[in-house]
Amino acid sequence: MSNANPSVESHYEALEAQWNSVDGSLEFERLVVPTGNSDSPFHRWFHLKEAFSVDLLPTILKQLSFEGMSELRILDCFAGGGTTLVSALEMSSQAHVTATGIERNPFLHHVSSSKVRALQAGPSLAQELKKAYVEVQHLYASDARFTINTPALSTFSNEAYFPPSLLNSLLRIKAAIEFCDASALARDLLLTSAASCVESSSRLRRDGRALRYASERQPKDPWLEFSNRIQQMIEDTSGSQAAASSASVILGDGRRPLLHVDESEKRDLIVFSPPYPNNIDYTEIYKTEAWYLGFYEDSEQFRSQRLRTLRSHPSVRFSEEYDYESSSDAEAVRELLAPILGAVPDDRYATGRRQLIRGYADDMLTLFRHCRKVISNKGRLVYVVGNSAHGSGDALFVIAADLMMARLAELANWRVEEISVARSLRRRVTNSRFLRESVVTLSPA
Ligand SMILES: C[S@@+](CC[C@H](N)C(=O)[O-])C[C@H]1O[C@@H](n2cnc3c(N)ncnc32)[C@H](O)[C@@H]1O
């Protein structure tokens, strides 16, 4: 275990001392991870490892005394698999909720928007799905010749990753779905199911920051996997009434909600979990599903997608323009970042790490400024974020995103109400107590 970097630690101590920081493990430890999501209707349609729990939104609403409100407007700037939006629609019997999500990844946008559209469709959707499934089954088993395009991503041509017969089956399912005579929503749901079989039909496993080759893994039969998933969807949709509330997911830039939502429509609650500054590149780890569904046709489109994401990873060289540098907060941001930048070891990762720290701070300041413009007077913003360790041995340092974001939020005219420490992360790596995941509540200052 390496010792925490003393100057960065004292910087974090001083920052934290300005705010109310509490141990929130009792309420939040199990809610900052996807506890319950794989067993809950609608949520279970695609398992997003980086999601928070289905129970997070109801818990936050209770804590902030929003529970009894009859109208509630919610925004999630990083919708991911749609946990916030599905949870919001599920509360329709208690309040009329209007929920908006923004998501940049085309595959995750497909997943989350399919879920929320299904929840608002009502029970006839189950019949439609059954009918479409039977047709796809028939087409899949027939000797119909579809045009089958193998995605250009080289991962698909690696036979160790994707055994050819299974790949053929996966591609045939997709071609049959595209050929069948289903409504747009039923087709999107079938495609969500098919895409959610890609990982299990291969020898690839999402493992933290990368897709790894798991030689020992026995890939599953795509058709059986697909059928099981469709059965789940039919089960979930047949029991449900059309939600009285409304929700939608925008394919766009969550750092700049004002590009997508009307400034005059103020929100009561903004809740999100942004990508953490821990090098996870969502474009990379969900790439097989996105290529499979045809969201990228060539490497240029794939690279452009990476460039559109939050600057939380060094997988591409982002522009080195930082808006804070030309703002009145330049000095305050430099002061905030200096001790963290000073801890970056001078090795081959130095440039990428410095860009990540500056880029992440810049994106967060923009995000908080935009959010400030759409929050109602009595509204709250809650973010869930994890801090991360970078480097190794004596050169290891922690990026405390929870504190860094809290200070940036202050610069954007928010008040930090509470930093609730949900859980400590891998303490055996470093003795820094700042390696943790937190739930932070802000109110407009
Ligand atoms: C931690 S995940 C959110 C998970 C979500 N809370 C859930 O429970 O499913 C962060 C998400 O931010 C998305 N993202 C990255 N850059 C973005 C951007 N510029 N705008 C909107 N979303 C972005 C990623 O694709 C990823 O889905």
Side-chain angles (χ1 to χ4, degrees):
M1 183 189 300
S2 64
N3 285 323
N5 178 308
S7 57
V8 181
E9 294 294 295
S10 55
H11 179 51
Y12 292 153
E13 298 282 354
L15 275 173
E16 192 182 46
Q18 304 171 42
W19 304 307
N20 176 28
S21 171
V22 300
D23 174 2
S25 55
L26 213 57
E27 307 94 303
F28 290 123
E29 182 161 21
R30 48 175 285 281
L31 302 183
V32 295
V33 289
T35 307
N37 297 18
S38 40
D39 303 320
S40 303
F42 296 89
H43 291 277
R44 62 180 175 166
W45 293 357
F46 182 79
H47 185 68
L48 189 81
K49 274 172 75 179
E50 302 77 15
F52 45 56
S53 168
V54 293
D55 297 325
L56 182 73
L57 181 69
T59 306
I60 290 174
L61 291 174
K62 196 165 168 188
Q63 279 212 343
L64 298 178
S65 308
F66 279 134
E67 228 189 354
M69 281 173 67
S70 56
E71 288 267 340
L72 210 51
R73 290 146 307 171
I74 299 178
L75 172 68
D76 181 342
C77 306
F78 303 96
T83 314
T84 304
L85 305 160
V86 173
S87 297
L89 286 173
E90 283 171 341
M91 295 174 22
S92 293
S93 59
Q94 298 145 53
H96 183 271
V97 187
T98 311
T100 313
I102 307 174
E103 173 54 50
R104 185 74 276 178
N105 184 288
F107 165 63
L108 296 174
H109 170 262
H110 180 94
V111 170
S112 49
S113 67
S114 305
K115 287 180 186 172
V116 303
R117 283 156 65 212
L119 259 158
Q120 293 166 97
S124 65
L125 178 61
Q127 285 308 325
E128 263 180 67
L129 263 175
K130 266 187 215 163
K131 195 168 149 270
Y133 169 71
V134 171
E135 194 186 339
V136 169
Q137 186 175 31
H138 174 73
L139 288 164
Y140 175 80
S142 73
D143 47 15
R145 286 175 190 270
F146 308 113
T147 325
I148 292 189
N149 298 316
T150 306
L153 180 71
S154 61
T155 315
F156 284 100
S157 344
N158 185 322
E159 297 188 2
Y161 299 169
F162 285 96
S165 65
L166 300 189
L167 177 63
N168 186 52
S169 172
L170 270 175
L171 295 174
R172 198 168 166 80
I173 294 171
K174 179 173 171 254
I177 297 171
E178 279 167 348
F179 196 79
C180 87
D181 181 29
S183 66
L185 176 55
R187 178 173 291 116
D188 282 348
L189 295 178
L190 293 167
L191 289 171
T192 300
S193 282
S196 65
C197 309
V198 170
E199 190 192 5
S200 57
S201 307
S202 75
R203 288 199 189 88
L204 293 173
R205 186 162 41 83
R206 264 183 278 280
D207 180 13
R209 298 168 189 179
L211 264 182
R212 294 194 201 284
Y213 173 50
S215 58
E216 73 294 348
R217 185 161 165 173
Q218 191 53 48
K220 301 218 168 104
D221 175 70
W223 179 261
L224 287 180
E225 285 283 284
F226 173 69
S227 302
N228 290 340
R229 287 172 186 278
I230 291 291
Q231 295 319 319
Q232 275 191 346
M233 279 187 174
I234 294 173
E235 225 173 86
D236 295 352
T237 46
S238 43
S240 90
Q241 291 303 312
S245 299
S246 70
S248 58
V249 191
I250 297 159
L251 178 65
D253 191 352
R255 294 169 294 186
R256 294 180 174 78
L258 285 175
L259 294 178
H260 309 291
V261 302
D262 195 334
E263 191 176 336
S264 64
E265 286 171 26
K266 303 292 185 210
R267 311 285 154 154
D268 305 300
L269 178 67
I270 301 177
V271 58
F272 56 73
S273 172
Y276 303 171
N278 59 2
N279 298 341
I280 290 189
D281 170 9
Y282 286 86
T283 316
E284 175 65 22
I285 56 177
Y286 293 100
K287 69 179 176 186
T288 47
E289 289 81 3
W291 279 87
Y292 172 71
L293 289 187
F295 288 117
Y296 319 124
E297 281 173 4
D298 54 39
S299 53
E300 199 35 55
Q301 290 181 3
F302 187 44
R303 195 181 119 77
S304 307
Q305 168 59 28
R306 278 202 163 113
L307 285 169
R308 285 194 283 260
T309 59
L310 194 130
R311 287 175 278 177
S312 62
H313 58 86
S315 317
V316 269
R317 275 284 148 90
F318 289 103
S319 117
E320 287 232 57
E321 276 170 34
Y322 305 111
D323 290 344
Y324 70 76
E325 285 291 2
S326 53
S327 80
S328 54
D329 293 316
E331 201 40 54
V333 178
R334 278 190 219 122
E335 210 173 281
L336 169 70
L337 301 186
I340 314 170
L341 290 168
V344 174
D346 260 327
D347 57 20
R348 66 197 170 102
Y349 303 113
T351 308
R353 283 188 178 131
R354 289 193 189 109
Q355 285 183 353
L356 180 138
I357 294 165
R358 287 203 180 97
Y360 197 79
D362 200 42
D363 284 347
M364 287 303 159
L365 187 58
T366 303
L367 167 70
F368 286 128
R369 286 201 175 118
H370 275 241
C371 287
R372 184 65 182 78
K373 295 218 160 98
V374 292
I375 197 75
S376 68
N377 290 340
K378 293 195 172 155
R380 294 284 189 282
L381 185 155
V382 177
Y383 64 83
V384 176
V385 79
N387 300 344
S388 42
H390 297 257
S392 57
D394 288 346
L396 185 141
F397 68 102
V398 170
I399 299 183
D402 55 355
L403 301 175
M404 203 168 116
M405 287 172 66
R407 176 68 187 125
L408 293 163
E410 277 189 341
L411 296 176
N413 213 15
W414 291 91
R415 197 171 78 83
V416 180
E417 291 212 331
E418 185 180 90
I419 297 178
S420 188
V421 178
R423 60 173 190 151
S424 163
L425 302 167
R426 298 185 302 147
R427 290 209 86 139
R428 63 201 142 82
V429 178
T430 164
N431 59 3
S432 169
R433 70 178 181 84
F434 294 104
L435 193 56
R436 64 191 187 189
E437 210 160 351
S438 306
V439 179
V440 180
T441 307
L442 311 173
S443 57

